[in-house]
Amino acid sequence: MKRVAVGAAIAVSAIFAPASAASSPGVSAQDENYLQNSAAGDSFEIKGGELALQKSQNPQVRALATTLIRDHKKSLHEAKGLARALRIPKVQNRPTPSQAWELRQLQAKPGGDFDKQYANLEVSDHHQDIEEAKFEAKKGSSGAVRTAAKKELPTRAKHLTLSRIALQAAGG
């Protein structure tokens, strides 16, 4: 069983890591935190998107929510798979307490106020996500995690652009 798990970790490293990376995954606390935070962020985005589909009538906000749900479900699946392969303890698939609080605040907002706050939250959240991914891509110890962070950057940039469009459409 141990041999299979090690083989899976090496295989994932080979898929996600550049050719120059070591074959041993070498996961630091920073790498583990990045994957844990990324998974929590994915869950937050999924739940926020689902809330937006329930509450918003704005087509741009709904389009943003649909894209975020789709992309973050994929990202969550990939983060959990990578964490398993690298033997990182169970990755949580729920928002952090502060993210859950933000979702409750959003839930209380009516119509147009909801749209503005949701889109504004997505703009600031994706700015932060991009910075975190850039940092991990440069400073992470695991080639697999660094490569995963680099791979996420174009999607995060797309989400930031869509969030700005939705914010403008919502009057923000």
Side-chain angles (χ1 to χ4, degrees), residues 65-75 158:
T66 300
T67 299
L68 293 180
I69 291 168
R70 181 194 65 228
D71 292 351
H72 284 282
K73 281 183 176 181
K74 179 181 176 194
S75 178
K158 177 183 84 170

Side-chain angles (χ1 to χ4, degrees), residues 8-45:
I10 291 170
V12 169
S13 292
I15 291 169
F16 288 108
S20 62
S23 61
S24 173
V27 180
S28 66
Q30 176 187 316
D31 295 333
E32 184 175 338
N33 286 337
Y34 176 78
L35 283 175
Q36 294 284 1
N37 290 337
S38 182
D42 288 331
S43 297
F44 170 71
E45 296 295 350

Side-chain angles (χ1 to χ4, degrees), residues 7 18 24-25 27 29 40 43 45-46 52 60 111 139-140 150 163 166:
S24 173
V27 180
S43 297
E45 296 295 350
I46 293 165
Q60 294 298 331
K139 303 288 185 177
K150 287 177 196 171
S163 298

Side-chain angles (χ1 to χ4, degrees), residues 65-138:
T66 300
T67 299
L68 293 180
I69 291 168
R70 181 194 65 228
D71 292 351
H72 284 282
K73 281 183 176 181
K74 179 181 176 194
S75 178
L76 178 60
H77 177 74
E78 290 172 357
K80 290 172 86 174
L82 180 57
R84 267 192 311 276
L86 296 175
R87 296 184 177 181
I88 293 174
K90 186 175 181 344
V91 172
Q92 298 299 320
N93 60 343
R94 65 178 178 262
T96 65
S98 64
Q99 291 167 333
W101 179 86
E102 286 181 294
L103 290 171
R104 286 191 302 276
Q105 297 303 305
L106 270 176
Q107 174 71 42
K109 296 291 180 185
D113 289 341
F114 171 87
D115 290 339
K116 284 181 199 174
Q117 185 168 342
Y118 174 72
N120 191 47
L121 175 65
E122 292 304 334
V123 169
S124 63
D125 186 55
H126 283 92
H127 269 295
Q128 181 179 347
D129 290 347
I130 288 168
E131 293 307 311
E132 289 169 2
K134 284 180 179 178
F135 183 81
E136 181 63 26
K138 287 182 182 178

